[in-house]
Amino acid sequence: MLRLQKLAQAHGDSLEQRKAAWTARAYAAALECAQQPRQARLALDATLTDMQLALPEGGALPREVQQLRAQCGTRPQG
């Protein structure tokens, strides 16, 4: 989790570096879905907003994050 959070905070100029940071942010938030679903969904929403500004055409990564958002807090705990 700490590793994902560190990657999520990385700032880069290239689109690929930004994609890596968004991916890390999304999966760090997804890990929080079971314990703090509201906060995790807000973090996923913020990630999607950042992505939409840079990738208005969408793509595989925004769809993947949207899927994580849709599943957040709906998985049975076990």
Side-chain angles (χ1 to χ4, degrees), residues 23-78:
T23 301
R25 282 172 55 189
Y27 279 93
L31 288 173
E32 292 292 320
C33 283
Q35 286 78 32
Q36 298 177 327
R38 185 176 182 277
Q39 270 187 299
R41 286 191 297 269
L42 289 173
L44 288 164
D45 288 342
T47 302
L48 282 167
T49 298
D50 289 347
M51 293 170 72
Q52 288 169 348
L53 292 172
L55 302 169
E57 71 282 357
L61 185 55
R63 284 192 301 274
E64 184 176 346
V65 176
Q66 287 169 342
Q67 190 171 38
L68 290 172
R69 169 62 170 87
Q71 295 171 350
C72 187
T74 61
R75 295 181 187 165
Q77 295 182 9

